């Protein structure tokens, strides 16, 4: 199972790298994430250059697509040519977005009829797309999930691992990366966020 972590120029390192690193703890179980970029090299909002592991076209074959945020997301959604390189299909893919990445899902028409999560800065822009924004870190309906706040990347990763490999795999990964002495709290917080986000509108 392959995960495309879509990473645009101006990206937030916490989004792309945390989600990718957590998911790649599951490589031995057949789940692997790749930094997926529209150009061979992208530069973060803080000047960190990252070489893409897969080109944007990889999103068509990925089982999971996660879209992170960045300071240039509004430029991304205004670029018809770039958006056309994201032919996502929630009938066969798990699709997630974080913070301003939620704008991309709105632009693609994937959030029609459902609320979403995003960060406080991006909220008015997402709402201008006609999407109801929740005051919550994570929300999922079916195969689409959104998260709000930089560190909510762990919730998107947890959701992906649960949906593909099961809760025990997610527990193992979260326990491994948790701050020492906070293992149980870290695991339960992430699992609770995902459960609550999936049950919110039931």
């Amino acid at each position: 199972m392959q995960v495309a972590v879509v990473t645009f120029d101006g990206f937030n390192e916490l989004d792309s790298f945390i989600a990718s690193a957590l998911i790649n703890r599951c490589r031995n179980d057949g789940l692997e994430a790749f930094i997926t970029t529209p150009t061979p090299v992208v530069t973060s909002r803080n000047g960190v250059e990252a070489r893409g592991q897969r080109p944007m076209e990889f999103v068509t074959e990925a089982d999971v697509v996660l879209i992170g945020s960045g300071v240039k997301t509004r430029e991304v959604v205004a670029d018809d040519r770039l958006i056309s390189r994201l032919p996502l299909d929630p009938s066969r893919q798990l699709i997630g977005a974080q913070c301003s990445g939620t704008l991309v899902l709105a632009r693609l028409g994937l959030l029609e009829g459902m609320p979403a999560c995003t960060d406080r800065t991006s909220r008015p822009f997402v709402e201008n797309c006609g999407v109801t924004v929740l005051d919550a870190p994570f929300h999922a309906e079916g195969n689409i999930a959104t998260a709000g706040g930089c560190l909510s990347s762990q919730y998107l990763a947890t959701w992906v691992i649960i949906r593909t490999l099961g809760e025990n795999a997610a527990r193992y990964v979260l326990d491994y990366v948790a701050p020492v002495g906070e293992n149980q709290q870290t695991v339960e917080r992430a699992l609770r966020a995902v459960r609550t986000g999936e049950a919110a509108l039931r």
Side-chain angles (χ1 to χ4, degrees):
M1 294 172 285
Q2 301 183 106
V3 181
V5 181
V6 177
T7 304
F8 298 107
D9 209 38
F11 71 95
N12 185 323
E13 301 96 330
L14 293 172
D15 296 6
S16 294
F17 295 156
I18 290 177
S20 178
L22 291 176
I23 290 168
N24 279 329
R25 294 282 178 183
C26 299
R27 274 201 193 101
N28 290 340
D29 296 316
L31 181 64
E32 189 168 10
F34 301 91
I35 300 297
T36 301
T37 57
T39 55
V41 176
V42 291
T43 303
S44 80
R45 61 184 298 157
N46 295 312
V48 176
E49 291 189 349
R51 182 169 295 279
Q53 296 172 291
R54 295 290 186 276
M56 191 68 83
E57 288 67 30
F58 175 63
V59 300
T60 61
E61 60 184 273
D63 304 287
V64 182
V65 178
L66 299 181
I67 300 174
S69 70
V71 294
K72 297 184 179 181
T73 306
R74 278 181 280 162
E75 296 175 28
V76 169
V77 298
D79 187 334
D80 292 340
R81 184 176 179 181
L82 184 51
I83 285 294
S84 71
R85 297 174 69 186
L86 290 167
L88 307 186
D89 183 358
S91 70
R92 65 175 184 81
Q93 294 173 308
L94 295 179
I95 300 169
Q98 181 175 348
C99 297
S100 65
T102 300
L103 274 174
V104 177
L105 297 194
R107 174 70 169 77
L108 292 169
L110 296 175
L111 298 179
E112 294 181 6
M114 66 178 285
C117 299
T118 190
D119 64 281
R120 286 178 290 184
T121 301
S122 301
R123 180 171 189 151
F125 302 103
V126 174
E127 290 177 331
N128 284 342
C129 295
V131 177
T132 298
V133 174
L134 301 172
D135 186 21
F138 178 85
H139 179 75
E141 292 186 29
N143 287 344
I144 298 177
T146 53
C150 297
L151 293 180
S152 66
S153 51
Q154 64 184 301
Y155 302 150
L156 274 182
T158 298
W159 176 72
V160 169
I161 296 168
I162 290 174
R163 288 291 304 270
T164 55
L165 298 176
E167 186 174 303
N168 286 341
R171 284 182 176 275
Y172 173 80
V173 170
L174 291 164
D175 181 75
Y176 189 96
V177 302
V180 172
E182 298 181 0
N183 300 72
Q184 183 175 350
Q185 300 98 305
T186 300
V187 171
E188 293 305 324
R189 182 175 60 251
L191 293 178
R192 182 170 59 250
V194 171
R195 291 180 188 132
T196 300
E198 289 186 317
L201 296 181
R202 288 179 187 170

